[in-house]
């Protein structure tokens, strides 16, 4: 029989964990499979994202497409088509509403990181230390398709006018 070798510690979940919770765990960990454990801690099975919400409308497929978008327009097109299909897929898989909104929040985070990448590509590296802050529904992990974006930008004040001008762009 074939033998699988783990290259990193395996993500695990107890057998009484719901499919919704397991899917969000997989998405958060950026992994596609987890080991299901019994009450004694022994592995009793393997669960993949395809077992829960597979195919091209999975949260993993959309996240990968977002991360691979080549520019702003491609990203917008990916989100416009992918988010409604993802929502339908997650709901049809029977995920709890709170888990659906958490999965959408992860997609929002991925899109935001990609947009930040595009900005740095256009404008160069930041002149000072900085942090992007997700606020509101994204921070609460309660994103819906109708959510707005509440964000903040914090950066070191040691850069003076140069830093202000950079982040204004």
């Amino acid at each position: 029989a074939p033998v699988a070798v783990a290259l990193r510690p395996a993500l695990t979940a107890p057998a009484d964990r719901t499919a919704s919770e397991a899917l969000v765990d997989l998405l958060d960990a950026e992994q596609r499979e987890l080991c299901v454990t019994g009450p004694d801690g022994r592995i009793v099975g393997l669960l993949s994202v395809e077992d829960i919400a597979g195919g091209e409308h999975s949260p993993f497929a959309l996240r990968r497409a977002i991360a691979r978008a080549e520019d702003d327009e491609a990203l917008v097109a990916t989100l416009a088509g992918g988010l409604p299909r993802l929502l339908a897929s997650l709901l049809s898989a029977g995920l709890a509403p709170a888990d659906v909104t958490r999965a959408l929040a992860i997609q929002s985070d991925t899109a935001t990181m990609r947009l930040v990448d595009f900005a740095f590509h256009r404008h160069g590296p930041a002149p000072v230390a900085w942090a992007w802050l997700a606020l509101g529904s994204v921070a609460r992990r309660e994103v819906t398709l109708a959510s707005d974006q509440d964000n903040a930008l914090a950066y070191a004040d040691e850069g003076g006018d140069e830093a202000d001008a950079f982040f204004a762009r």
Side-chain angles (χ1 to χ4, degrees):
V3 176
V5 177
L7 300 177
R8 62 182 175 268
L11 182 63
T12 61
D16 63 352
R17 191 124 168 105
T18 68
S20 295
E21 293 167 332
L23 180 65
V24 172
D25 290 347
L26 286 165
L27 192 56
D28 277 338
E30 295 186 39
Q31 294 187 28
R32 299 191 64 81
E33 298 173 328
L34 62 75
C35 295
V36 179
T37 57
D40 61 358
R42 294 181 60 171
I43 295 173
V44 297
L46 185 66
L47 182 68
S48 74
V49 67
E50 286 78 14
D51 295 329
I52 302 168
E56 64 185 76
H57 305 305
S58 79
F60 291 90
L62 181 56
R63 191 172 195 187
R64 197 169 39 254
I66 292 168
R68 292 180 179 165
E70 293 186 19
D71 56 31
D72 296 8
E73 288 182 23
L75 179 61
V76 169
T78 297
L79 292 170
L83 284 176
R85 286 193 303 271
L86 173 62
L87 178 60
S89 175
L90 296 175
L91 292 173
S92 69
L95 266 68
D99 294 323
V100 171
T101 62
R102 286 176 60 201
L104 293 176
I106 291 168
Q107 303 300 332
S108 175
D109 289 343
T110 304
T112 299
M113 288 185 290
R114 192 67 182 128
L115 289 168
V116 169
D117 288 343
F118 296 151
F120 284 135
H121 181 72
R122 279 192 297 277
H123 302 290
V128 295
W130 64 278
W132 183 269
L133 307 171
L135 308 171
S137 60
V138 174
R140 291 189 307 271
R141 315 316 265 165
E142 298 173 348
V143 174
T144 70
L145 293 184
S147 293
D148 65 343
Q149 290 293 307
D150 298 309
N151 306 295
L153 178 67
Y155 57 93
D157 62 2
E158 64 210 30
D161 291 340
E162 177 190 354
D164 290 343
F166 176 85
F167 288 111
R169 287 191 308 272

